[in-house]
Amino acid sequence: MIALRGIRLAALLLALGCLAGTLWAGLDDRGAALAFGVLVGVGEWGRWTGAEVREAAPLGAAGGLAYALLGGDAGVATHDGAFQVVTVVCAASLLGSVPHIACGRRPTLDHLARRVLTVGFAAVCFQPLYSRGVLEQWGGPAYALLLIALLVLTALCDVVLAAAQAHSRTGWRFGPLLRDELRGLLGIGSAVCATGAVMALAVAVVGLWALPVFCLPLLLTQLSLRRYAAVRATYRQTIASLARATEIAGYTPAGHARRVATLSQAVGRDLGLSGAELTVLEYAALMHDIGQLSLVDPVQAGATAVLPAEEQRRIALLGGAVVRQTGVDAAVAVVVERQADPYREQPVAARIVRVVNAYEEKSRDSGPGGPLTALEELRLATAGDYAPEVVESLARVLSRDCLTLRAAG
Amino acid sequence: MEAVPVRVRAYVAGVALSALTCLLPLPGTHTPWPAVALLAALYAGGEHVLRKRLGGTFYPVLLAGAFLLPPAAAALVPLPGALLSHVEQRPQAVRRVWRAAELALAVWGAGCAHWVLGGRDAVVGCEFPYALLPCAAAVLAFCTVLALLDGGILAVAVGAPPTPFGQRGRVPVQRAWRGLLARSLAPIGVHGLAGLMMAVLWRSPYGPVAALLVLLPMCVSWWVFAQYHREQAAHQATIRALVQAVDIKDGYTRGHSERVGQASVMIARELGMDDERVEVLRFAGILHDVGKLGVPTRLLRKDGPLTPEERRIIELHPEYGHEMVRGISFLGEARAAILHHHERIDGSGYPYGLAGGQIPESARVVAVADAFDAMTSTRSYSRARPVGAAVEELRRCAGRQFDAGVVDALVRALGKEGWHPAVTADVCQPGAPASGRPKGDRESVGRGAP
């Protein structure tokens, strides 16, 4: 929480300082300030309130960056200054959040803090250099390249900030979070940066007309992203329902697949798996028992962990065959079919599924001391079946948030 | 391999010849060759590397060429990319020539429209908002030329092997042009704006470097769009796999569920439901028996009479199915159909014994479609009956077991369209009974991507 508060405090101080600076120096170039303010405000107003995504308001972010890097308006040099840029972006973002607050949604302070800090960084790097005329000796293409370099730096700062915020909010490890954020940068992040640079350059050439024209490709990206997120959500629902087929058929106890998936993800996060790997792990954990649908008669209480190894492997292979037909990522099928192999031959995700599944089966009906006994049994079997580092990670996860997991399961 | 009909060859040759005549004034005009080479290389590289992965087309580059260069020079830009492009379906040579000629003509048309309206001076002088007008005219010309040529080859290639548009089969001439223009106008309009910005930045002191930046957001947009399509395809494959599992477990002929989906769609259309509801009813039909996954295989496949106890277990399947799909929000009223598709109008059905109007409409539709396909397909215990006999039987039970209005709708739809069940994507499964049904590839390629 310290990092979270620190970032908020820094953003607040920067915004207040810039506001004071602007009040002292007065507002320059009102047309450009108004146009960019409207752009940022509208972008913020249209921000995405649904699923969790890397950049919820790409239009606002791109507009803010473009304003920070603005060096001219239709061929006339501008003197907006870093103070004014931060003040305008901050005020516009706040105004754009008003409708969200009015609708009863909680304002996302972290997101605003990050916006203010990144825009401030870009403006502080660029505007002083520009107003001293250092950049005028550079040719046109070199100037464009400089803007790109600055934006890459800014984006890296943004990534570090976002990862730090996520780290202190969730308590997950910083390294994998940073890696996921960096990967996200290649997608919508690069589109936002490129749009910011292009807007700044285009406004310098053709004036403020460039703004509406340039929003379109980014809007399109945003729309596609929304549809992508929507179809991902439905797909997740479908897989979760498929996973319930074994429960309804009476092969496995109710909620088993969901509990294994939740606990597997927590262990995967603890072991430092990335976002894509976690998705594969979740799907595989949800569908790990699906091979039992191919059995003519159910296994007693669905407890596969106590079956002979050969039988376990046969069911796992049947499950892999079912998963392969479902058109899910092939990696999921691999995890499902290798879940019963000795751990030295398994991929990490399969190790996790095997350990968590065994823990779930051993601990579920065994009363208050059950979880501890189950962990002890797993530890004793780490010679061949269960990977020791996964069992230890499971123990860490359980000791950290067993209460929340129980509630969620 | 089927031979390409002579009229198709003649049509492609004619289009190629007219593309060549567009290039004729080239020696007389002042052509900025470096720009042409750079744009052509950009287009060829983009098509080669990105198109396979992202599924987008590099129209912004072509349109930027039309805005920057004289029309004859702009028509050169797509040629290397189209002639070298990767073509999967045969005959490759004809397809490459066709694509190159078509794009050259379209770019030439866009360039001419832009030139006539003085767009070139507007781009050089950055005269906004006037520059938008020639840009819009150029986009309109581009789309019109493409739509005319595409429609032409669709009309000419009636009965020909797959045309370059991923569509098969017979296309009546009057339908060939319909929709082509309207569908492409919006995405190409966005491409046109990106092309305009590329052209403006290209002419500015910042040069081509800045112009290339415009392509990045477009590429990201294509990438996301491709991801979307992949995810959607995976989603549909999952649902199909689910119903195939049910069909196999049940010992029905494969494709029962999908045929029930098709019959439900026919009925829903006849009842005048809107497209969204029709689509939901397709899913209702496809998934109506999904609860049988929860019934032991031994019972479903049992030969001979069932004991009352066994019958009761099998009759649980609508509730099992509803329990499985109730978390899938996009299914909407299909969930009710899955729960109630064994209710009967006189109230003697299961699971709740609802009667008449208490039964949701979607469930009444699926019940009729289910019974119809059960009668007209071969089962392990009975031969298929002809459609006429099945309709007669449905009519006999209308009002007692089935909703008479729904049965009438099915009869009307059968009268109009006939009954041609086709199962999409018959995945070969080990151990499954071989089916003599031909593969019906009805997946259409998503054109008009941004």
Side-chain angles (χ1 to χ4, degrees):
Chain A
M1 285 318 267
I2 299 171
L4 215 55
R5 291 218 183 105
I7 290 170
R8 281 185 198 166
L9 190 67
L12 186 67
L13 286 180
L14 180 67
L16 288 178
C18 289
L19 183 62
T22 313
L23 287 178
W24 185 59
L27 208 59
D28 235 346
D29 241 332
R30 285 158 197 246
L34 186 67
F36 276 98
V38 167
L39 180 63
V40 172
V42 168
E44 193 61 36
W45 174 57
R47 69 175 283 119
W48 196 340
T49 50
E52 203 168 296
V53 282
R54 211 196 100 73
E55 186 60 78
L59 207 54
L65 288 178
Y67 192 36
L69 301 179
L70 187 64
D73 181 355
V76 185
T78 51
H79 306 282
D80 284 19
F83 288 154
Q84 180 177 333
V85 167
V86 175
T87 312
V88 167
V89 169
C90 187
S93 303
L94 281 176
L95 277 180
S97 321
V98 167
H100 291 288
I101 298 171
C103 292
R105 285 189 283 265
R106 279 167 56 88
T108 44
L109 272 181
D110 293 337
H111 155 85
L112 276 183
R114 226 172 73 207
R115 167 81 51 79
V116 168
L117 285 178
T118 45
V119 168
F121 176 83
V124 166
C125 287
F126 176 79
Q127 294 290 348
L129 278 182
Y130 179 78
S131 55
R132 275 191 214 149
V134 180
L135 303 177
E136 272 165 28
Q137 314 141 22
W138 296 39
Y143 179 81
L145 286 176
L146 174 86
L147 284 198
I148 298 172
L150 256 181
L151 277 175
V152 170
L153 269 184
T154 313
L156 288 178
C157 283
D158 184 45
V159 160
V160 173
L161 281 180
Q165 283 177 339
H167 171 67
S168 68
R169 205 171 39 234
T170 56
W172 302 341
R173 284 170 35 179
F174 184 73
L177 281 174
L178 188 65
R179 209 170 50 200
D180 280 347
E181 289 286 339
L182 276 174
R183 197 166 294 147
L185 190 62
L186 289 180
I188 183 80
S190 64
V192 166
C193 284
T195 309
V198 167
M199 271 185 189
L201 293 174
V203 170
V205 177
V206 302
L208 295 171
W209 265 101
L211 291 185
V213 174
F214 254 120
C215 296
L216 265 174
L218 201 61
L219 271 181
L220 214 65
T221 314
Q222 193 175 356
L223 276 183
S224 321
L225 265 177
R226 261 182 206 226
R227 290 176 61 184
Y228 177 48
V231 79
R232 270 187 77 111
T234 32
Y235 195 21
R236 181 170 298 233
Q237 287 177 350
T238 305
I239 298 230
S241 306
L242 242 183
R244 299 237 315 282
T246 49
E247 294 167 14
I248 290 158
Y251 291 93
T252 49
H256 171 67
R258 187 69 254 168
R259 284 194 298 271
V260 172
T262 313
L263 198 49
S264 289
Q265 276 194 303
V267 173
R269 236 174 244 128
D270 183 74
L271 288 172
L273 263 53
S274 71
E277 290 168 321
L278 283 174
T279 308
V280 167
L281 178 62
E282 184 191 2
Y283 286 179
L286 281 173
M287 310 214 302
H288 76 277
D289 270 334
I290 207 123
Q292 297 193 30
L293 281 183
S294 312
L295 303 179
V296 178
D297 290 310
V299 177
Q300 190 61 44
T304 46
V306 294
L307 290 180
E310 271 316 302
E311 187 62 15
Q312 283 188 33
R313 219 162 292 162
R314 195 177 74 83
I315 297 176
L317 285 178
L318 286 174
V322 174
V323 175
R324 254 175 229 292
Q325 279 168 21
T326 59
V328 192
D329 188 355
V332 177
V334 170
V335 174
V336 170
E337 69 194 19
R338 306 207 31 203
Q339 59 176 319
D341 292 358
Y343 78 85
R344 287 187 183 84
E345 300 159 21
Q346 282 177 316
V348 181
R351 292 179 188 178
I352 298 174
V353 171
R354 176 162 207 189
V355 169
V356 172
N357 178 44
Y359 168 79
E360 228 286 314
E361 285 177 7
K362 285 174 199 288
S363 71
R364 82 184 149 226
D365 298 319
S366 50
L372 283 179
T373 325
L375 260 184
E376 205 47 47
E377 277 178 41
L378 291 182
R379 283 206 175 106
L380 288 175
T382 49
D385 290 345
Y386 305 116
E389 78 275 6
V390 178
V391 176
E392 284 323 303
S393 164
L394 174 66
R396 275 199 300 278
V397 168
L398 288 172
S399 67
R400 193 169 58 216
D401 37 28
C402 62
L403 286 176
T404 53
L405 280 175
R406 276 288 146 202
Chain B
M1 187 194 129
E2 296 161 86
V4 182
V6 178
R7 59 179 184 281
V8 176
R9 282 180 190 276
Y11 181 73
V12 171
V15 172
L17 268 183
S18 21
L20 283 181
T21 33
C22 297
L23 300 179
L24 277 184
L26 210 50
T29 49
H30 171 71
T31 311
W33 289 107
V36 174
L38 191 52
L39 282 171
L42 197 60
Y43 178 70
E47 284 284 291
H48 187 71
V49 179
L50 295 175
R51 196 176 174 195
K52 263 184 282 175
R53 286 191 209 151
L54 306 182
T57 31
F58 260 60
Y59 289 146
V61 177
L62 296 186
L63 288 165
F67 300 152
L68 280 169
L69 305 167
L76 278 177
V77 172
L79 292 186
L83 287 176
L84 296 175
S85 69
H86 173 80
V87 179
E88 275 177 7
Q89 288 167 315
R90 302 175 71 170
Q92 278 114 337
V94 177
R95 281 169 196 280
R96 287 200 183 112
V97 168
W98 160 252
R99 178 120 186 108
E102 178 192 41
L103 284 176
L105 273 179
V107 172
W108 181 80
C112 284
H114 195 250
W115 190 274
V116 168
L117 286 173
R120 194 181 146 82
D121 298 330
V123 164
V124 174
C126 299
E127 293 165 24
F128 272 79
Y130 177 71
L132 292 174
L133 178 70
C135 170
V139 166
L140 194 64
F142 190 82
C143 292
T144 314
V145 173
L146 275 188
L148 278 179
L149 294 176
D150 276 358
I153 203 157
L154 280 180
V156 168
V158 173
T163 56
F165 317 101
Q167 294 179 10
R168 276 162 199 257
R170 306 174 68 81
V171 176
V173 177
Q174 70 274 19
R175 267 196 18 215
W177 276 280
R178 197 187 297 164
L180 278 175
L181 184 63
R183 236 181 304 151
S184 59
L185 209 50
I188 294 188
V190 176
H191 289 189
L193 285 180
L196 178 65
M197 274 302 151
M198 270 188 84
V200 165
L201 286 175
W202 190 292
R203 291 277 181 186
S204 74
Y206 308 115
V209 178
L212 289 187
L213 271 182
V214 177
L215 286 178
L216 197 55
M218 298 300 289
C219 285
V220 172
S221 169
W222 290 323
W223 175 77
V224 176
F225 204 77
Q227 295 279 92
Y228 165 74
H229 273 291
R230 216 169 33 204
E231 195 84 3
Q232 201 179 31
H235 186 219
Q236 283 169 358
T238 305
I239 291 179
R240 273 207 294 270
L242 192 67
V243 304
Q244 277 175 3
V246 179
D247 289 354
I248 289 167
K249 191 172 161 137
D250 205 358
Y252 282 180
T253 49
R254 263 196 299 164
H256 166 67
S257 302
E258 286 207 39
R259 288 196 301 273
V260 174
Q262 284 174 27
S264 305
V265 166
M266 283 167 67
I267 298 172
R269 287 226 180 89
E270 195 58 42
L271 288 173
M273 296 183 185
D274 58 31
D275 285 353
E276 207 172 316
R277 255 189 111 190
V278 168
E279 212 40 47
V280 166
L281 269 162
R282 181 196 302 281
F283 280 112
I286 288 177
L287 290 172
H288 72 282
D289 266 348
V290 75
K292 285 193 174 162
L293 277 179
V295 179
T297 313
R298 204 177 283 288
L299 281 188
L300 288 177
R301 296 224 182 134
K302 186 176 175 187
D303 284 332
L306 296 165
T307 63
E309 176 66 17
E310 287 170 337
R311 184 171 298 282
R312 237 188 335 271
I313 292 176
I314 290 185
E315 288 183 354
L316 283 174
H317 81 266
E319 284 169 284
Y320 285 163
H322 182 252
E323 174 65 20
M324 274 177 69
V325 300
R326 73 184 159 86
I328 308 182
S329 50
F330 83 96
L331 286 179
E333 65 174 339
R335 292 175 286 191
I338 291 167
L339 180 58
H340 294 300
H341 75 275
H342 278 296
E343 306 281 6
R344 299 165 68 135
I345 294 295
D346 59 9
S348 64
Y350 58 90
Y352 295 156
L354 301 185
Q358 293 175 313
I359 308 171
E361 191 180 20
S362 54
R364 284 179 267 155
V365 170
V366 171
V368 172
D370 186 19
F372 175 70
D373 186 70
M375 286 190 275
T376 53
S377 58
T378 305
R379 296 288 171 86
S380 55
Y381 49 84
S382 69
R383 296 270 315 267
R385 285 193 239 177
V387 170
V391 165
E392 208 45 51
E393 179 71 20
L394 286 176
R395 279 237 164 98
R396 209 171 54 75
C397 298
R400 276 182 297 142
Q401 185 171 355
F402 304 117
D403 183 336
V406 176
V407 173
D408 284 344
L410 176 66
V411 173
R412 281 200 306 274
L414 286 173
K416 278 185 206 160
E417 306 169 34
W419 179 233
H420 313 286
V423 175
T424 52
D426 241 342
V427 186
C428 241
Q429 289 169 336
S435 125
R437 203 167 289 284
K439 278 193 177 181
D441 179 12
R442 308 194 316 131
E443 299 267 291
S444 62
V445 180
R447 263 169 76 86

